[in-house]
C-alpha cells in the first residue's frame, strides 16, 4: 500500500493543480516521473510477495545507508508528518552495507510505518519521534548495525517472540496482514544478515538490522531474540 499511497498523493496534487489552472509542463513531468517510479516499486513489492520464503536472486552491492534512510523518510514524510512525528536520520556519511537498495528501502519503510502506527494508537503527542541510526557491532567487525528506534509504547512481552512470524499481527483485520516484519526478516536473511526486535532501555521500540559490511562474504549467524544484546 505504501507506493499506492504515494501514487494517490501525486495524482491528487495534479488534480488540484488542474482545478487551479496551475499545471506547468515541468511540474507535470515531475509528478509523472514520481508515479512511474512508484509503479516500478509496487511491482518489486509484488515480486517479493511471490518469492516470499525463496532464495532471492537480487544482486547485493555496497549501498550507502544514509541515502536509503533518507529515501525511506521521504516516502513516509506525508503520512508521518500528519501524525506529528519527527523522523531523525543519524548515519555518518560513507557508511555502507552489502545489500539491495530498493529492498532495504522497503524494510525501512515497513519499520517506519509500524512505528507510526504504534505511536498513533498509543495517543502520543507532538513530541513523538523515530530515529534511524547506525553503530558498529562491538563483537563482530564484519557487521554494521542499523537501528530504528521510536518513543512509542514499545513491544508487549507476548509480541517479542512472535513478531517475526508470518501473518502474526495485533492490528485489526482490515489494517494489517502480519507480513511486514516477516518479509523484512526474510529480506535481511537473504542479504546474509538478521533482524532483532526489542524495547529500548529508555522505553519505546528498538529494531536492529544486522548487515554485512562491503566485501564480507560470510553469512551472519541467526540467533534467538534473547541472545542478542
Amino acid at each position: 500500500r505504501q507506493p499506492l499511497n504515494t501514487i494517490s498523493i501525486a495524482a491528487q496534487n495534479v488534480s488540484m493543480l488542474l482545478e487551479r489552472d496551475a499545471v506547468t509542463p515541468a511540474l507535470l513531468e515531475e509528478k509523472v516521473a514520481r508515479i512511474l517510479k512508484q509503479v516500478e516499486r509496487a511491482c518489486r513489492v509484488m515480486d517479493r510477495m511471490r518469492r516470499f520464503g525463496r532464495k532471492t536472486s537480487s544482486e547485493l552491492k555496497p549501498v550507502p545507508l544514509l541515502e536509503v534512510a533518507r529515501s525511506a523518510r521521504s516516502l513516509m514524510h506525508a503520512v508521518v508528518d500528519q501524525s506529528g512525528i519527527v523522523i531523525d536520520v543519524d548515519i555518518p556519511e560513507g557508511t555502507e552495507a552489502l545489500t539491495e537498495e530498493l529492498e532495504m528501502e522497503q524494510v525501512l519503510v515497513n519499520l517506519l510505518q509500524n512505528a507510526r502506527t504504534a505511536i498513533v494508537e498509543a495517543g502520543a503527542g507532538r513530541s513523538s519521534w523515530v530515529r534511524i541510526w547506525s553503530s558498529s557491532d562491538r563483537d563482530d567487525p564484519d557487521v554494521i548495525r542499523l537501528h530504528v528506534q521510536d518513543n512509542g509504547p514499545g513491544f508487549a512481552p507476548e509480541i517479542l517472540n512472535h513478531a517475526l512470524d508470518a501473518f502474526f499481527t495485533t492490528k485489526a483485520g482490515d489494517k494489517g496482514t502480519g507480513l511486514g516484519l516477516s518479509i523484512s526478516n526474510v529480506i535481511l536473511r537473504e542479504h546474509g544478515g538478521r533482524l532483532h526486535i526489542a524495547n529500548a532501555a529508555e522505553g519505546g521500540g528498538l529494531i536492529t538490522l544486522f548487515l554485512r559490511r562491503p566485501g564480507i562474504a560470510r553469512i551472519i549467524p541467526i540467533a534467538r531474540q534473547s541472545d542478542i544484546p
Side-chain angles (χ1 to χ4, degrees), residues 9-130:
I9 291 171
Q12 290 175 46
N13 288 342
V14 172
S15 179
M16 287 188 294
L17 291 170
L18 283 170
E19 290 177 359
R20 300 172 185 172
D21 196 24
V23 177
T24 64
L27 185 59
L28 190 59
E29 184 178 359
E30 175 191 338
K31 296 298 182 182
V32 169
R34 186 173 188 183
I35 289 173
L36 290 176
K37 180 179 179 181
Q38 293 306 306
V39 169
E40 179 184 357
R41 184 164 176 261
C43 290
R44 288 179 177 268
V45 172
M46 288 186 286
D47 184 57
R48 164 59 55 181
M49 291 292 292
R50 288 191 292 105
R51 295 187 291 116
F52 180 67
R54 303 176 189 173
K55 183 175 177 59
T56 182
S57 59
S58 300
E59 183 180 357
L60 305 184
K61 300 178 180 179
V63 169
L65 295 180
L66 178 59
E67 293 182 14
V68 175
R70 285 175 173 171
S71 179
R73 178 176 63 181
S74 177
L75 288 170
M76 287 297 297
H77 175 74
V79 176
V80 172
D81 188 58
Q82 291 175 358
S83 305
I85 301 170
V86 176
I87 301 177
D88 178 47
V89 176
D90 185 15
I91 302 173
E93 290 274 3
T95 302
E96 293 186 331
L98 189 64
T99 184
E100 203 283 327
E101 186 171 358
L102 285 179
E103 291 184 349
M104 184 52 53
E105 179 186 280
Q106 179 65 39
V107 168
L108 291 180
V109 168
N110 283 344
L111 300 184
L112 289 174
Q113 178 66 60
N114 287 347
R116 180 257 179 195
T117 300
I119 290 172
V120 169
E121 291 182 350
R126 296 289 298 183
S127 60
S128 300
W129 51 263
V130 181

